[in-house]
Amino acid sequence: MALGWEYKGVRLVEERVLHDWDTCAKLDPHTTAVDLAHAIRFGKAQSALEAVAAGGATLTADHAWALHFANEMAELRHYGPLIAVEDNVPVLAPGIRQIIGTFDEYGLWDGQPAWTL
């Protein structure tokens, strides 16, 4: 979505660019993992992402809210959504599973429940 406005007779347009998680993880794996962990914690979205990874059949309204808030935090950091849709089924966005797999390595999920993906 482009945002536009007038400033002293000049029309300015800002294009919002959201980065893919898998691409960012290749360029800067630590920062990407930190940003993802923060988004998930902010949205309290661990169980929602686990439900998506399990096929999405057990997703609830609470999961939807958690994913909404996690996606909002991700967008603030210029990342795309944490989930995608393939064949009308929700799936983890490319790279999410692999990045979550690095949380322990970077000490980002200490004291939190273990992941079940």
Side-chain angles (χ1 to χ4, degrees), residues 29-109:
H30 181 261
T31 300
T32 305
V34 169
D35 290 344
L36 178 59
H38 184 254
I40 293 169
R41 282 187 181 183
F42 177 79
K44 299 178 182 162
Q46 180 176 352
S47 66
L49 291 172
E50 290 172 337
V52 169
T58 61
L59 284 170
T60 66
D62 287 339
H63 288 142
W65 277 108
L67 289 169
H68 167 76
F69 288 114
N71 282 327
E72 287 288 319
M73 182 56 68
E75 186 177 344
L76 285 174
R77 294 173 183 244
H78 305 285
Y79 292 99
L82 282 67
I83 62 170
V85 177
E86 289 181 6
D87 299 322
N88 294 321
V89 176
V91 296
L92 297 176
I96 296 293
R97 185 183 307 265
Q98 293 78 12
I99 298 166
I100 290 171
T102 67
F103 284 2
D104 288 337
E105 174 186 342
Y106 295 126
L108 300 173
W109 214 249

Side-chain angles (χ1 to χ4, degrees), residues 11-44:
R11 174 110 175 112
L12 304 172
V13 176
E14 175 185 335
E15 268 309 310
R16 286 185 142 185
V17 177
L18 299 179
H19 305 289
D20 295 328
W21 289 100
D22 55 346
T23 302
C24 291
K26 290 175 187 170
L27 300 173
D28 187 352
H30 181 261
T31 300
T32 305
V34 169
D35 290 344
L36 178 59
H38 184 254
I40 293 169
R41 282 187 181 183
F42 177 79
K44 299 178 182 162

